[in-house]
Amino acid sequence: MKRLIACCCAALLLVSACGEDESSSAPSGEFDSNLVGFWYRLDEGARSSWTGTLYHNAFYISPDATYHDAGVETGTGKIALLQQSLWLRIQFAHNGRIGIDWFMPPGGEWDTLDYRVDWNVLTVSGSSPISGVWVRKQHSEKVTDALDVRFTLLIDGVQTSIPGIAPDAGAAMHQFDGYPFCMRATFAYGYRPRALSITVPKFNGPGTYTFGPNEAWYTILDHDLITDYHTDSLYTGSITIDTYDAQTMRCSGSFDITMRRYRDRNNPPELRRFTDGRFSVPIFP
């Protein structure tokens, strides 16, 4: 009997030990609280593909291990949460290993990466949206200069404006592909961006300019589907530059544009109307 009891106790200890080994080697659901906070990075020379301005990379990890995109308040230059849907998810973070999955058109990606938190510096290895070196910031901490950016319009009669919190200026004028005047405004970020671009190839200061073919366009990216609207010989508009100051690096004005989405000859053109446009934006080289 004593031998039987001893064997049973040994078996229980063995099962318990095996359970402990399995839980330590399978970190799913565990989370390192050192990751909680705002993380920020401004890559040297990083430029937004939409506006050409500096792009501020930032994200926030909450105490419940949820990932949130972050940006800056254009009016204050302070770090803040972006108002957009989540596209990256943390599966676990434990003992220097973090598992993530994220949406990358046309599908999803996932990976397990090495990470290290050294006081207020986060280093993530590998190739992913959060790989690299990040610095911890506080909510509402100033990370860039404030920008006076005003850009509003009606898109098919619906009032629209650039977001008050964004990774970059949201709207700006800059030189692009050799054009002395190119203005871009982004109305949504993430993987479903919407952006309006305006070019004036023969720009020579304040005045009114009529758009030629492909001199103004509107782009919508939805997953892996890109929809473009352009001006052409039939559908066009004009922009009026009220002020253009190379000393203060600002310009202002208004515009009204009708654009066409190109379709096959058996279908009528799909039109978009951009009316009552008003802007006062910074000029970037």
Side-chain angles (χ1 to χ4, degrees), residues 220-235:
I220 303 171
L221 174 61
D222 188 1
H223 294 264
D224 59 340
L225 177 64
I226 299 176
T227 304
D228 283 320
Y229 297 83
H230 297 269
T231 54
D232 60 15
S233 58
L234 296 178
Y235 301 97

Side-chain angles (χ1 to χ4, degrees), residues 60 67 79 85 90 119 154-155 182 192 202 237:
Y60 172 68
Y67 171 96
I79 195 167
S85 59
I90 299 174
W119 191 240
L154 299 176
I155 301 180
C182 179
R192 292 179 178 84
K202 297 180 180 180

Side-chain angles (χ1 to χ4, degrees):
M1 178 62 71
K2 291 182 179 180
R3 183 176 297 176
L4 177 60
I5 292 174
C7 290
C8 290
C9 290
L12 287 172
L13 288 172
L14 179 61
V15 170
S16 176
C18 290
E20 290 175 0
D21 288 343
E22 289 175 359
S23 63
S24 63
S25 62
S28 180
E30 298 192 53
F31 177 65
D32 183 356
S33 61
N34 288 321
L35 292 171
V36 174
F38 282 87
W39 298 98
Y40 172 80
R41 179 181 69 204
L42 178 61
D43 295 330
E44 185 67 28
R47 297 277 172 171
S48 164
S49 60
W50 292 110
T51 64
T53 57
L54 289 176
Y55 195 91
H56 301 271
N57 296 281
F59 61 89
Y60 172 68
I61 298 179
S62 60
D64 64 355
T66 303
Y67 171 96
H68 305 266
D69 283 313
V72 295
E73 295 176 338
T74 55
T76 66
K78 296 179 179 180
I79 195 167
L81 290 175
L82 273 174
Q83 300 299 314
Q84 66 181 50
S85 59
L86 305 179
W87 61 279
L88 184 146
R89 182 170 53 185
I90 299 174
Q91 297 290 359
F92 66 86
H94 185 69
N95 287 340
R97 297 284 283 170
I98 182 170
I100 62 173
D101 60 67
W102 70 94
F103 174 71
M104 184 70 69
E109 301 284 344
W110 66 271
D111 206 348
T112 300
L113 308 166
D114 293 325
Y115 77 91
R116 184 179 73 256
V117 179
D118 184 9
W119 191 240
N120 285 323
V121 177
L122 168 65
T123 304
V124 183
S125 67
S127 177
S128 80
I130 63 171
S131 296
V133 179
W134 306 83
V135 177
R136 193 193 305 271
K137 296 292 181 180
Q138 300 297 319
H139 181 262
S140 295
E141 181 177 348
K142 187 174 181 179
V143 295
T144 188
D145 293 332
L147 291 173
D148 181 11
V149 181
R150 286 165 281 170
F151 197 105
T152 62
L153 76 162
L154 299 176
I155 301 180
D156 295 331
V158 179
Q159 184 69 38
T160 307
S161 62
I162 63 170
I165 302 174
D168 58 13
M173 183 284 225
H174 65 109
Q175 187 172 349
F176 177 70
D177 286 351
Y179 291 119
F181 186 100
C182 179
M183 184 170 61
R184 289 185 172 182
T186 306
F187 306 105
Y189 291 89
Y191 282 106
R192 292 179 178 84
R194 295 181 294 125
L196 174 68
S197 300
I198 295 172
T199 63
V200 181
K202 297 180 180 180
F203 176 73
N204 59 3
T208 298
Y209 301 84
T210 300
F211 296 112
N214 298 311
E215 289 183 355
W217 65 96
Y218 180 64
T219 303
I220 303 171
L221 174 61
D222 188 1
H223 294 264
D224 59 340
L225 177 64
I226 299 176
T227 304
D228 283 320
Y229 297 83
H230 297 269
T231 54
D232 60 15
S233 58
L234 296 178
Y235 301 97
T236 182
S238 64
I239 183 171
T240 298
I241 310 300
D242 295 322
T243 63
Y244 182 91
D245 193 327
Q247 298 297 319
T248 62
M249 300 295 284
R250 292 197 63 82
C251 64
S252 65
S254 59
F255 60 87
D256 285 274
I257 316 170
T258 298
M259 299 187 203
R260 169 183 177 176
R261 177 188 175 191
Y262 293 96
R263 306 174 71 182
D264 61 75
R265 65 182 61 186
N266 296 321
N267 290 288
E270 181 182 333
L271 303 181
R272 279 287 172 92
R273 292 177 172 84
F274 305 84
T275 58
D276 199 27
R278 298 287 185 274
F279 63 89
S280 177
V281 298
I283 301 171
F284 289 92

